[in-house]
Amino acid sequence: MTKSQNPYELIKRMKSKYFFLDNNRIEIKPGSIEHAYLCVLEDDLESAKTIFASLDSPRAKWGKALCSILEGYIEEYPTYFQIRNFLEIDMDFLLKNEKLDFVEQLLGGLELLSAINYETYKFAARVMFENKFFSAALKYMEKSKMLRYNDPELHFMLAKYYLEVHDDKKAYDSICECLTILPDYYPARIIKAKIEERID
């Protein structure tokens, strides 16, 4: 962004190009978190990092780490909670805005991030599943299962995946595994009953 450009006009132009939640009502101010994310979408990671660095919030600290991952190296590692709170949201945001190179960079950093937060692969799997990249979703669920098998949410996700691909047997096995770990997980009990109706 050059100094001669009016930041409000630039933001207005960029905002109209991209997917933002509730795009019409969100107000983006220069120097804000939202402005930094617009810079990311414009491939202007330097401006994004400068904005993130000027702000003092968990999201801004994550934003700095995100930019370094997108550039292919990590200057400052994100925390467990930053990964938990923001990785999934931002990966989905990048996918919805068709920033596939950046999504690939994030996916390439998952192994490193999983050393900080063991749920990293599960977060990526959920984004892939919700965006209908089913084979990628399964790949990251399997990686997550290798790190922490006894995660009931992961087995619940696997059951949903297997239902999506019409494999009732594996869906049933996964939902039973989920309920073995967490017997009172109500959504899993509902899915189990539905599968039992189908396979009887």
Side-chain angles (χ1 to χ4, degrees), residues 53-105:
S54 73
L55 302 168
D56 184 23
S57 72
R59 187 66 184 251
K61 288 176 182 167
W62 158 257
K64 281 174 56 182
L66 172 68
C67 287
S68 67
I69 294 166
L70 299 181
E71 290 177 321
Y73 63 93
I74 295 186
E75 294 173 346
E76 190 174 317
Y77 288 89
T79 67
Y80 174 94
F81 289 106
Q82 288 167 356
I83 295 167
R84 186 185 77 178
N85 293 337
F86 307 122
L87 173 66
E88 195 172 336
I89 294 165
D90 285 359
M91 189 177 291
D92 186 63
F93 174 72
L94 291 170
L95 260 177
K96 282 182 170 47
N97 282 290
E98 301 179 1
K99 301 301 289 183
L100 300 184
D101 289 348
F102 284 167
V103 173
E104 284 181 19
Q105 282 293 104

Side-chain angles (χ1 to χ4, degrees), residues 169-182:
K169 167 84 170 72
K170 286 186 177 178
Y172 189 73
D173 291 345
S174 295
I175 212 67
C176 287
E177 195 66 27
C178 172
L179 287 166
T180 299
I181 300 163
L182 189 62

Side-chain angles (χ1 to χ4, degrees), residues 49-198:
K49 280 197 297 187
T50 300
I51 295 167
F52 284 132
S54 73
L55 302 168
D56 184 23
S57 72
R59 187 66 184 251
K61 288 176 182 167
W62 158 257
K64 281 174 56 182
L66 172 68
C67 287
S68 67
I69 294 166
L70 299 181
E71 290 177 321
Y73 63 93
I74 295 186
E75 294 173 346
E76 190 174 317
Y77 288 89
T79 67
Y80 174 94
F81 289 106
Q82 288 167 356
I83 295 167
R84 186 185 77 178
N85 293 337
F86 307 122
L87 173 66
E88 195 172 336
I89 294 165
D90 285 359
M91 189 177 291
D92 186 63
F93 174 72
L94 291 170
L95 260 177
K96 282 182 170 47
N97 282 290
E98 301 179 1
K99 301 301 289 183
L100 300 184
D101 289 348
F102 284 167
V103 173
E104 284 181 19
Q105 282 293 104
L106 268 180
L107 293 174
L110 292 182
E111 184 175 351
L112 181 79
L113 296 177
S114 71
I116 301 166
N117 184 322
Y118 62 83
E119 293 183 286
T120 295
Y121 288 120
K122 181 174 71 175
F123 302 147
R126 189 165 27 233
V127 172
M128 294 297 128
F129 184 84
E130 293 303 324
N131 285 282
K132 304 196 181 313
F133 295 104
F134 296 121
S135 61
L138 179 62
K139 171 184 172 181
Y140 294 117
M141 283 186 260
E142 291 296 337
K143 285 179 176 281
S144 185
K145 194 161 68 167
M146 289 172 62
L147 284 180
R148 188 163 183 256
Y149 184 85
N150 288 328
D151 181 340
E153 184 184 22
L154 175 61
H155 292 285
F156 182 79
M157 289 170 59
L158 279 161
K160 286 176 60 179
Y161 165 80
Y162 287 122
L163 285 172
E164 184 68 38
V165 298
H166 310 291
D167 190 334
D168 288 349
K169 167 84 170 72
K170 286 186 177 178
Y172 189 73
D173 291 345
S174 295
I175 212 67
C176 287
E177 195 66 27
C178 172
L179 287 166
T180 299
I181 300 163
L182 189 62
D184 294 329
Y185 190 25
Y186 185 69
R189 291 166 75 182
I190 290 173
I191 285 183
K192 182 175 185 251
K194 285 181 181 175
I195 298 170
E196 285 172 342
E197 284 176 16
R198 286 166 57 156

